[in-house]
């Protein structure tokens, strides 16, 4: 159990889907997603599902395909989400938008957190636009984020942060908020199915 994980949450497991939002050649997103996945592993109440859009290939999915069904089921099964996104031209990648738009009720009444990276802004403008998208899908975005300005300078060749303390604290805060919302909203959905 992480020292930042409240003891009461260890008895309440939930599934967190981490969505790798970039498919661009040479992307840095997997480095950040792998760092976060290693950190999530220290929170023993969380079951992790990493969904890499470069593998899912949302532009190629047909609604009658097995691949679409699998993607839909993974989103449906998740109690919470963390989207790892770069900032491209003051926004987020088109494949990420397409993947989000493929589904609708599967996102309803679930919390979404964000990890961003980019230039000097750390991808924060991409996050603010994603908040609008998820609001339309009846999802709840949490306030705290993790952002990496000039991310490629912050990690070593093995994908580890040179100075991990600040990012680790931010990740724990993000996970704390997601845990509260994931458990509260799952209980609410169980008691009263969400009607959009």
């Amino acid at each position: 159990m992480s020292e930042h994980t409240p003891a009461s949450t260890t008895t309440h497991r939930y599934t967190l889907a981490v969505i790798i939002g970039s498919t661009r050649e040479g992307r840095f997103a997997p480095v950040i997603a792998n760092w976060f996945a290693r950190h999530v592993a220290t929170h023993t109440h969380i079951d992790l599902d990493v969904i890499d859009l470069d593998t899912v290939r949302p532009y190629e999915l047909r609604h009658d395909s097995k691949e679409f069904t699998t993607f839909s089921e993974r989103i449906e099964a998740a109690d919470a989400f963390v989207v790892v996104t770069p900032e491209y031209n003051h926004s987020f990648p088109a494949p990420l938008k397409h993947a989000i738009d493929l589904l609708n009720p599967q996102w309803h009444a679930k919390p979404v957190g964000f990890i961003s990276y980019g230039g000097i802004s750390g991808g924060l403008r991409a996050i603010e636009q994603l908040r609008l998208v998820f609001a339309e899908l009846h999802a709840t975005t949490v306030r705290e984020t993790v952002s990496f300005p000039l991310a490629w300078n912050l990690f070593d060749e093995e994908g580890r942060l040179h100075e991990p303390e600040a990012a680790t604290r931010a990740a724990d805060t993000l996970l704390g908020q997601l845990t509260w919302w994931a458990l509260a909203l799952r209980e609410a959905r169980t008691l009263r199915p969400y009607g959009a």
Side-chain angles (χ1 to χ4, degrees), residues 1-11 43 45 172 175-176 179:
M1 182 176 68
S2 168
E3 64 178 354
H4 300 286
T5 304
S8 61
T9 65
T10 60
T11 58
H43 293 254
H45 60 292
D172 280 330
L175 287 170
T179 295

Side-chain angles (χ1 to χ4, degrees), residues 41-84:
T42 69
H43 293 254
T44 56
H45 60 292
I46 300 174
D47 296 317
L48 186 65
D49 181 18
V50 178
I51 301 175
D52 187 348
L53 295 188
D54 193 48
T55 301
V56 173
R57 308 303 297 178
Y59 278 115
E60 300 173 8
L61 293 181
R62 300 188 323 273
H63 283 266
D64 60 350
S65 68
K66 178 181 177 182
E67 292 78 10
F68 174 82
T69 300
T70 298
F71 175 63
S72 175
E73 289 174 346
R74 290 172 77 181
I75 298 299
E76 177 69 31
D79 299 300
F81 307 95
V82 167
V83 177
V84 179

Side-chain angles (χ1 to χ4, degrees), residues 104-153:
N104 193 300
Q106 293 86 348
W107 303 108
H108 288 185
K110 295 180 182 180
V112 183
F114 302 103
I115 299 177
S116 65
Y117 66 98
I120 196 66
S121 72
L124 293 176
R125 290 170 292 209
I127 288 177
E128 293 311 307
Q129 293 190 26
L130 280 165
R131 291 189 191 282
L132 299 175
V133 173
F134 279 107
E136 181 65 19
L137 291 165
H138 302 267
T140 298
T141 61
V142 301
R143 179 187 182 279
E144 299 299 329
T145 64
V146 183
S147 63
F148 295 99
L150 305 174
W152 39 91
N153 295 330

Side-chain angles (χ1 to χ4, degrees), residues 137-183:
L137 291 165
H138 302 267
T140 298
T141 61
V142 301
R143 179 187 182 279
E144 299 299 329
T145 64
V146 183
S147 63
F148 295 99
L150 305 174
W152 39 91
N153 295 330
L154 304 178
F155 290 81
D156 64 22
E157 293 180 356
E158 296 180 349
R160 301 189 181 277
L161 282 164
H162 296 300
E163 299 179 3
E165 292 80 9
T168 298
R169 286 195 303 271
D172 280 330
T173 302
L174 170 63
L175 287 170
Q177 292 185 356
L178 279 173
T179 295
W180 191 94
W181 281 104
L183 297 176

Side-chain angles (χ1 to χ4, degrees), residues 81-105:
F81 307 95
V82 167
V83 177
V84 179
T85 183
E87 181 181 313
Y88 295 158
N89 301 317
H90 285 216
S91 189
F92 53 92
L96 175 56
K97 181 63 162 66
H98 189 74
I100 294 168
D101 290 346
L102 282 172
L103 305 174
N104 193 300

